[in-house]
Amino acid sequence: MTITQEQADWFAQTFGQIADNVERAVLGKRHVVELVLTAMLSDGHVLLEDVPGTGKTSLARAMAQSVQGTNTRIQFTPDLLPGDITGMSVYDQKEGVFEFHAGPIFANIVLADEINRASPKTQSALLEVMEEGHVTIDGVSRPVGVPFVVLATQNPVEQAGTYRLPEAQLDRFMMRTSLGYPDHAATVRILDGAATATADLVPIITPQALVGMADLAAQVYVDALVLDYIARLVDSTRAADEVRLGASIRGALALTRATRTRAASQGRTYATPDDVKALAVPVLSHRLILHPEAEFDGVTQETVIGQVLLDVAPPSRREAV
C-alpha cells in the first residue's frame, strides 16, 4: 500500500506545525529540529552531541511537549545502575510476592542526559530496549509502549569521568547531530526573551496520531534505483581507505526509513536521491570506525561520508522517480 498525495500533504502540514512549535523554544535551529522529528517518525533514536549550553535538553523537552507524550529525564552518572533505568522487582512482604516497579525508561520520550557519564554496564541496559522496544527483567519481557524515542545527549569536549559509548550502542541511534551555537540574529532574540518556555508550548499532536504519521511514512514509495543507491553508499563506506569498520546493514535500513519520512515531510509520495543525500551524514557518520592513522591526520567520519557522496553517482531524477 502506497501513501496517497492527500495523505502526503497532510503529513507535510502536520510535520511543519510540529517543527514550528518546537522552534518556538529552540530558536534558529530548524534543520536540527526537522532531523530529530524525522528520526522520531522513523522509529529511531537520536544522539545530540554538543558542548554545554546549546539547548540540547530544551530541544528534547520541547519535542516531548509538542507530541503530548509521556516523557522522563534520566541524568546519567557514574554510580547509576541498570535497574535505575529499567526498573526492578521489589519483594512485597505484606503480599508475599515480588512486585515490578517500572523505571524511567517506560515513557514515550526518554531524555538520557550526559549518557556517556554512566558505566558501560549501565549503558548496556539500553541496548535491548532501543532495538526491540521492551525490557526483560527476571525473565519477563515488558513493552515500553509506542511511540518510544531515546534522545541522548553527550558533551564531546569534556571527557573527564566519562565512558566512550560502545559501537553496538552507537549503531542503535538512527542519527547523530548537534545544535551548535545560534547565529547572531537568533542570539539577540534569545537574549530579548523571545524563546518560549518548553512548559508553555501547546501540544500539536497526540502520541497515537504520531504513530499514525509513522505508519504513513512507511508507505512512501522507494524505487529500486534509490535502494541500489543506498546500498552502494553503504558499501563504499566499508571500502574507504580511512575506515576500519563501515556502516552496518542496520545503518542502511535506518537510512531507508529516514528517507521515506523525509520524502513525506516534503509532501511527496515517493523518495528521491536528494532525500538520501540530505540524511546520509547524520544517519551514517557515527557508525564508522576510522583507522587511528586517519584520525591522527584529522580525518573525521563526516568527511568520509561527504567524500563517499561525491564518489558514488546517484541515479538520475528521471530514473529514480
Side-chain angles (χ1 to χ4, degrees), residues 46-296:
V46 182
L47 179 62
L48 299 171
E49 191 175 80
D50 220 329
V51 295
T54 53
K56 299 185 296 294
T57 303
S58 295
L59 173 61
R61 288 176 173 169
M63 198 66 71
Q65 187 74 8
S66 297
V67 301
Q68 203 177 351
T70 58
N71 67 93
T72 55
R73 177 180 181 271
I74 307 172
Q75 181 64 54
F76 280 68
T77 56
D79 60 349
L80 193 72
L81 298 175
D84 296 330
I85 298 173
T86 60
M88 61 187 71
S89 296
V90 178
Y91 185 70
D92 187 335
Q93 291 184 334
K94 184 177 180 180
E95 300 293 335
V97 295
F98 281 94
E99 186 178 76
F100 177 68
H101 289 221
I105 200 67
F106 287 85
N108 295 129
I109 297 178
V110 178
L111 172 59
D113 212 3
E114 295 187 292
I115 191 172
N116 56 332
R117 291 200 175 278
S119 67
K121 180 179 180 180
T122 300
Q123 291 178 13
S124 67
L126 293 172
L127 294 179
E128 178 188 17
V129 68
M130 289 177 65
E131 181 71 13
E132 301 176 24
H134 61 75
V135 295
T136 303
I137 301 173
D138 296 333
V140 180
S141 293
R142 294 177 170 87
V144 294
V146 290
F148 172 70
V149 180
V150 174
L151 298 180
T153 72
Q154 72 171 349
N155 176 7
V157 177
E158 186 182 355
Q159 297 298 322
T162 65
Y163 300 86
R164 183 172 180 175
L165 295 183
E167 283 73 18
Q169 186 174 357
L170 279 174
D171 202 33
R172 281 164 171 78
F173 285 102
M174 172 172 276
M175 295 185 190
R176 181 183 66 182
T177 186
S178 62
L179 283 162
Y181 294 118
D183 59 25
H184 178 76
T187 300
V188 172
R189 292 176 60 203
I190 292 171
L191 296 178
D192 194 39
T196 303
T198 54
D200 297 332
L201 293 179
V202 178
I204 300 298
I205 195 171
T206 64
Q208 293 75 21
L210 192 73
V211 172
M213 287 184 69
D215 291 340
L216 286 178
Q219 298 173 18
V220 169
Y221 174 72
V222 183
D223 190 86
L225 289 172
V226 176
L227 295 176
D228 176 74
Y229 179 49
I230 293 173
R232 287 188 288 119
L233 287 175
V234 171
D235 288 341
S236 294
T237 66
R238 300 166 185 164
D241 294 335
E242 306 89 345
V243 176
R244 181 159 58 92
L245 186 65
S248 65
I249 188 63
R250 184 188 285 120
L253 289 169
L255 183 55
T256 303
R257 294 200 307 271
T259 295
R260 295 180 192 271
T261 301
R262 186 182 188 277
S265 73
Q266 305 296 310
R268 285 184 276 104
T269 62
Y270 56 90
T272 69
D274 289 339
D275 295 320
V276 179
K277 290 180 180 179
L279 295 166
V281 171
V283 173
L284 297 180
S285 61
H286 63 287
R287 305 172 193 271
L288 307 185
I289 300 177
L290 304 182
H291 287 294
E293 297 82 3
E295 292 183 297
F296 183 77

